[in-house]
Amino acid sequence: MIILNGGSSSGKTGIVRCLQAVLPDPWLAFGVDDFVDALPARMQGSEGGIEFAEDGGVSVGADFRELEAAWAEGIATMARAGARIVVDDVFLGGVASQERWRKVLDGVDVLWVGVRCDSDVAAGREIARGDRTPGMAAQQADLVHLGVAYDLEVDTSRTESLDCARVIAAHVR
Amino acid sequence: MIILNGGSSSGKTGIVRCLQAVLPDPWLAFGVDDFVDALPARMQGSEGGIEFAEDGGVSVGADFRELEAAWAEGIATMARAGARIVVDDVFLGGVASQERWRKVLDGVDVLWVGVRCDSDVAAGREIARGDRTPGMAAQQADLVHLGVAYDLEVDTSRTESLDCARVIAAHVR
Amino acid sequence: MIILNGGSSSGKTGIVRCLQAVLPDPWLAFGVDDFVDALPARMQGSEGGIEFAEDGGVSVGADFRELEAAWAEGIATMARAGARIVVDDVFLGGVASQERWRKVLDGVDVLWVGVRCDSDVAAGREIARGDRTPGMAAQQADLVHLGVAYDLEVDTSRTESLDCARVIAAHVR
Amino acid sequence: MIILNGGSSSGKTGIVRCLQAVLPDPWLAFGVDDFVDALPARMQGSEGGIEFAEDGGVSVGADFRELEAAWAEGIATMARAGARIVVDDVFLGGVASQERWRKVLDGVDVLWVGVRCDSDVAAGREIARGDRTPGMAAQQADLVHLGVAYDLEVDTSRTESLDCARVIAAHVR
């Protein structure tokens, strides 16, 4: 299993698609965005769910955390059942987020990958995408890496997604 | 857990969104479309993956089935971990598809819901959506229900999604 | 040229896709949603642009109206240049919106179509879509038809998009 | 008016969104993708419409050209009516495509911008996007610039969208 962690607009999804293309075996891709899409619409913008502040800040509540934990356990089961899985996540809690994954992934072989991107580059790409609350990229660029331990790190500031994917793929057994 | 089964363009997704809105507790929604999106792009249109024929026929291969089984086990784990989950699926194998779910859902309380839609109505809605291979709706309208046992059935031909959702919600403990 | 007017979630887009399918000649489809997508992101949620209130109310400003007028003139030119065009719009200003179109469409043959949908049915479909501010459907259901004159009207409350499209197509010379 | 020309996956759309963000006045954005979306579904993959070959080749037919000409005239009218407009296009016909625009834009002040991207970089980004026929980027990278005259050119191979947009914006009166 591969877990990519990086801030909003750091280029995780592009790397995931390239990984699926360059890895010879079929890998399933899941991300925290899929989890958020699976939530009831009313939990987007509510205290117990997930809130996006006007400055790009993101906060999540108790209901969100509870369902997210069940979701992560399910992903772990898929891996144990033999599926190759790449997950892209945004560790809003830094090392605490990594610990939550570690707990459910006991016994699963994980390659931890940090996806870095300079704050100003990510902020520019956020404008170019046009579908995210402005400010998220800058707020999360460093925050999500606090205290997190990686097997390897890539930096999309000046490296293409496909090249990052090739570096990661070389570490996959 | 709730499992909705129905052919393409029978209105499953609309019912799921309405269910998430009318049920007081938060329910996570997953569907076979999410699973297909999680596959590598190259498995769409390949023999081992999933193929969409020009006449709307759909066939899936061995790699698809293997990964799908792992995905279903993961969904079952999420339910066992306490998450309320509604799944929408297309039982291309009819009762055999239902059996695959039953096997991984041992011990999980499931409400089986059949989503019916007259073949010609579904075919018309397929045109109105504009994003599906023409012919899928007609091909799947009856096929997916062959031999499948339900706790309740709804028919979207002349009933709105929200009304179908209310009927289903009344059966949720 | 065909202009469809109806409230949010009344089913205009589905009818447009069906019209393009049943009409033997190729028709280009444009809608007010395309115009809004063409605006700078910052005009969404600004006083001069377009604002979506929490109750589903929609208000547009001076910059919006000015650019919209230029857009409508362009659509009129496409029609005069020989393209068959179907437009779907939301006449937030009722008859005043129709007058704006009439002014730029001088000399163009237009089939005016009202797309009705019972307020509660449209509100239910808004929930089933899941991508619109709740309340828009109910607020606009009657409002957009105030004082507007039509060549024909269809009602999607109990008629499928494809059937509505066939009725409209029968009026196209 | 600004016209950006570049191959598939050269980064035109990202530059357009950044342009809309950095230019102080509101600019409307239209692209050839919007035109293709406006066509009837059946013209995608038909001889008279637009065809995407398996190797990424794209060919368009007589019906496509006729409707496209009307569309371009409409865009020209919008510009003459006072709207600031940025168009992104793919000049499959090279200089002939530019001539088609010149003809309808008589009297309109146009800034012609070439968007270059190294063929292999564009091909990598095509994989990262995951929503285009593989091969289009490589096929179009040079083709679309054949004989075309520009006021300025940008190269996204090693320059971010936002920086390209700033260079272009500096040329806008």
Side-chain angles (χ1 to χ4, degrees):
Chain A
M1 180 164 173
I2 306 170
I3 298 187
L4 304 180
N5 173 45
S8 185
S9 293
S10 64
K12 299 179 299 296
T13 310
I15 294 177
V16 168
R17 289 204 197 92
C18 290
L19 270 172
Q20 290 186 299
V22 301
L23 288 166
D25 291 310
W27 285 67
L28 289 177
F30 297 103
V32 68
D33 285 353
D34 300 314
F35 168 70
V36 171
D37 286 345
L39 292 170
R42 68 167 182 270
M43 280 186 71
Q44 306 219 8
S46 80
E47 267 184 56
I50 183 165
E51 288 185 282
F52 299 89
E54 283 202 19
D55 67 350
V58 178
S59 57
V60 303
D63 288 349
F64 184 99
R65 283 288 175 230
E66 207 174 304
L67 290 168
E68 190 192 25
W71 175 74
E73 281 197 53
I75 301 289
T77 292
M78 295 181 203
R80 287 197 190 95
R84 291 170 186 88
I85 292 177
V86 50
V87 164
D88 72 275
D89 200 355
V90 181
F91 290 1
L92 291 175
V95 67
S97 301
Q98 187 174 33
E99 280 313 307
R100 276 195 287 270
W101 274 111
R102 277 197 210 278
K103 236 168 64 184
V104 299
L105 288 169
D106 188 47
V108 177
D109 195 27
V110 179
L111 184 74
W112 297 93
V113 182
V115 180
R116 302 268 180 183
C117 184
D118 291 352
S119 176
D120 58 331
V121 173
R125 291 179 188 169
E126 187 174 66
I127 297 171
R129 292 173 68 168
D131 62 346
R132 302 287 148 144
T133 313
M136 282 174 66
Q139 289 227 5
Q140 300 174 2
D142 297 317
L143 185 77
V144 301
H145 299 291
L146 288 178
V148 181
Y150 297 114
D151 294 305
L152 87 152
E153 298 186 43
V154 294
D155 189 324
T156 66
S157 311
R158 269 160 299 272
T159 310
E160 295 290 312
S161 300
L162 183 55
D163 295 323
C164 293
R166 282 180 180 139
V167 170
I168 299 167
H171 283 74
V172 174
R173 275 142 284 204
Chain B
M1 182 165 173
I2 305 170
I3 297 188
L4 303 181
N5 173 45
S8 185
S9 293
S10 63
K12 299 179 297 297
T13 309
I15 294 177
V16 167
R17 289 205 197 92
C18 290
L19 270 172
Q20 290 186 299
V22 301
L23 288 166
D25 291 309
W27 285 67
L28 289 177
F30 297 102
V32 68
D33 286 353
D34 299 314
F35 169 70
V36 171
D37 286 346
L39 292 169
R42 69 168 181 270
M43 280 185 70
Q44 307 218 6
S46 80
E47 268 183 56
I50 182 164
E51 289 186 280
F52 299 89
E54 282 201 20
D55 67 350
V58 178
S59 57
V60 303
D63 288 350
F64 184 98
R65 282 287 176 232
E66 209 174 301
L67 290 169
E68 189 192 25
W71 176 74
E73 280 197 53
I75 301 289
T77 293
M78 295 181 204
R80 287 197 190 94
R84 292 170 187 87
I85 292 178
V86 50
V87 165
D88 71 275
D89 200 354
V90 181
F91 289 1
L92 291 175
V95 67
S97 301
Q98 187 174 34
E99 279 313 307
R100 275 195 288 271
W101 274 112
R102 276 196 210 278
K103 236 168 63 182
V104 298
L105 288 169
D106 188 47
V108 177
D109 194 27
V110 179
L111 184 74
W112 297 94
V113 181
V115 180
R116 302 269 179 182
C117 184
D118 292 352
S119 176
D120 58 331
V121 173
R125 291 180 188 169
E126 187 174 66
I127 297 171
R129 291 173 68 169
D131 62 346
R132 302 287 148 144
T133 312
M136 281 174 67
Q139 288 225 7
Q140 299 175 3
D142 296 319
L143 184 77
V144 300
H145 299 291
L146 288 178
V148 181
Y150 296 114
D151 293 306
L152 87 153
E153 298 185 43
V154 293
D155 189 323
T156 65
S157 310
R158 269 160 299 274
T159 310
E160 295 292 312
S161 300
L162 184 55
D163 295 324
C164 293
R166 282 181 179 139
V167 170
I168 299 167
H171 283 73
V172 174
R173 277 143 286 201
Chain C
M1 183 163 172
I2 306 170
I3 297 187
L4 304 181
N5 173 44
S8 184
S9 294
S10 64
K12 299 179 299 294
T13 310
I15 294 177
V16 167
R17 290 206 196 92
C18 289
L19 270 171
Q20 290 186 297
V22 300
L23 288 165
D25 291 310
W27 285 67
L28 289 177
F30 296 103
V32 68
D33 285 352
D34 299 315
F35 168 71
V36 171
D37 285 346
L39 292 170
R42 68 167 181 270
M43 281 185 70
Q44 306 218 7
S46 80
E47 267 183 54
I50 181 164
E51 288 185 280
F52 299 89
E54 282 203 19
D55 67 350
V58 178
S59 57
V60 303
D63 288 349
F64 184 99
R65 282 286 176 233
E66 207 174 304
L67 290 168
E68 190 192 26
W71 176 74
E73 280 197 53
I75 300 289
T77 293
M78 295 181 203
R80 287 196 190 95
R84 291 169 187 87
I85 291 177
V86 50
V87 165
D88 72 275
D89 200 354
V90 181
F91 289 0
L92 291 175
V95 67
S97 301
Q98 185 173 35
E99 278 316 305
R100 276 196 288 270
W101 274 111
R102 277 197 209 279
K103 236 167 63 181
V104 298
L105 287 169
D106 187 48
V108 177
D109 195 27
V110 179
L111 184 75
W112 297 93
V113 181
V115 180
R116 302 268 180 181
C117 184
D118 292 353
S119 176
D120 57 332
V121 173
R125 291 179 188 169
E126 187 174 67
I127 296 171
R129 293 174 67 170
D131 62 346
R132 303 286 147 144
T133 312
M136 282 175 66
Q139 287 226 5
Q140 299 175 3
D142 296 318
L143 184 77
V144 300
H145 299 291
L146 289 177
V148 181
Y150 296 114
D151 293 306
L152 87 152
E153 298 185 44
V154 293
D155 189 323
T156 65
S157 310
R158 269 160 299 272
T159 310
E160 295 291 312
S161 300
L162 183 56
D163 295 322
C164 294
R166 282 182 179 138
V167 170
I168 300 167
H171 283 74
V172 174
R173 278 142 285 201
Chain D
M1 181 163 172
I2 306 170
I3 298 188
L4 304 180
N5 173 43
S8 184
S9 294
S10 64
K12 299 179 298 295
T13 309
I15 294 177
V16 168
R17 290 206 197 92
C18 289
L19 271 171
Q20 290 187 298
V22 300
L23 288 165
D25 291 310
W27 285 67
L28 289 177
F30 297 103
V32 68
D33 285 353
D34 299 315
F35 168 72
V36 171
D37 285 346
L39 292 169
R42 68 168 181 269
M43 281 185 70
Q44 307 220 7
S46 80
E47 268 183 55
I50 181 165
E51 289 186 281
F52 299 89
E54 283 202 20
D55 67 351
V58 178
S59 57
V60 302
D63 288 349
F64 184 99
R65 282 286 176 234
E66 207 173 304
L67 290 168
E68 190 192 26
W71 175 73
E73 281 197 53
I75 301 289
T77 293
M78 295 180 203
R80 287 196 190 95
R84 292 170 187 87
I85 292 177
V86 50
V87 165
D88 72 275
D89 200 355
V90 181
F91 289 1
L92 290 175
V95 67
S97 301
Q98 186 174 34
E99 278 315 306
R100 276 196 288 271
W101 274 113
R102 277 197 208 279
K103 236 168 62 182
V104 299
L105 287 169
D106 188 47
V108 177
D109 194 27
V110 179
L111 184 75
W112 297 93
V113 181
V115 180
R116 302 269 180 180
C117 184
D118 291 353
S119 176
D120 58 331
V121 173
R125 291 179 187 169
E126 187 174 65
I127 296 171
R129 291 174 68 168
D131 62 346
R132 303 287 147 143
T133 311
M136 283 174 66
Q139 288 226 6
Q140 299 175 3
D142 297 318
L143 185 77
V144 300
H145 298 291
L146 289 178
V148 181
Y150 296 114
D151 294 305
L152 88 153
E153 299 185 44
V154 293
D155 189 324
T156 65
S157 310
R158 269 159 300 272
T159 311
E160 296 290 312
S161 301
L162 182 56
D163 295 322
C164 294
R166 282 181 179 138
V167 170
I168 299 166
H171 284 75
V172 174
R173 277 141 287 204

